[in-house]
């Protein structure tokens, strides 16, 4: 199991609400619990539903997709250590300890595709 990012809202997210909101944002539901996004000719996992939406990103593309999905749901993307991933002026930022660190431009992260991070 990797590092988890959770989609968190003030009011809990119901599965029916999730299922309704993802399609207009460009996401699909695969099976009963996996959210996927298209890239190239295929779909790739973004997160899973486990009474809340959780992602275990392995690429910048997945982080960017989770940020997009969180925004579409009116939620925040929160890491295990309490850091928040946010979108500001087209840039994905990591907010931790009162400091904002730029991760990358959303469009570039999406265009790069879901290739996994390498050590």
């Amino acid at each position: 199991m990797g590092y988890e990012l959770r989609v968190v809202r003030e009011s809990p997210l119901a599965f029916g609400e999730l299922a309704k909101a993802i399609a207009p944002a460009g996401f699909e539901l695969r099976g009963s619990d996996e959210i996927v996004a298209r890239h190239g000719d295929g779909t790739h996992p973004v997160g899973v539903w486990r009474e809340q939406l959780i992602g275990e990103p392995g690429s910048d593309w997945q982080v960017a997709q989770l940020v997009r999905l969180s925004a579409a749901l009116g939620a925040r993307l929160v890491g295990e250590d309490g850091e928040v991933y946010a979108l500001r002026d087209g840039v994905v930022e990591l907010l931790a300890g009162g400091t904002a660190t730029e991760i990358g431009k959303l469009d570039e992260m999406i265009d790069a595709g879901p290739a996994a991070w390498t050590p």
Side-chain angles (χ1 to χ4, degrees):
M1 184 160 113
Y3 193 79
E4 285 188 351
L5 300 178
R6 297 171 320 281
V7 175
V8 178
R9 287 189 348 166
E10 293 300 319
S11 61
L13 182 65
F15 181 77
E17 201 174 354
L18 169 74
K20 228 174 169 180
I22 62 172
F27 297 93
E28 301 172 24
L29 189 59
R30 181 167 46 193
S32 62
D33 64 351
E34 187 174 40
I35 292 87
V36 298
R38 292 200 169 276
H39 185 79
D41 293 335
T43 57
H44 304 274
V46 172
V48 294
W49 177 258
R50 295 186 195 133
E51 300 303 316
Q52 66 179 22
L53 185 55
I54 298 171
E56 292 182 20
S59 69
D60 286 349
W61 179 86
Q62 285 175 309
V63 171
Q65 294 292 4
L66 284 164
V67 167
R68 285 185 56 243
L69 185 54
S70 296
L73 296 170
R76 296 177 300 130
L77 184 61
V78 180
E80 290 178 10
D81 297 326
E83 74 280 13
V84 175
Y85 296 77
L87 182 62
R88 186 171 60 134
D89 299 326
V91 175
V92 177
E93 295 181 329
L94 172 66
L95 309 167
T99 303
T101 304
E102 184 177 305
I103 295 177
K105 293 181 179 178
L106 180 71
D107 292 343
E108 291 174 3
M109 294 169 75
I110 298 288
D111 289 345
W117 290 315
T118 55

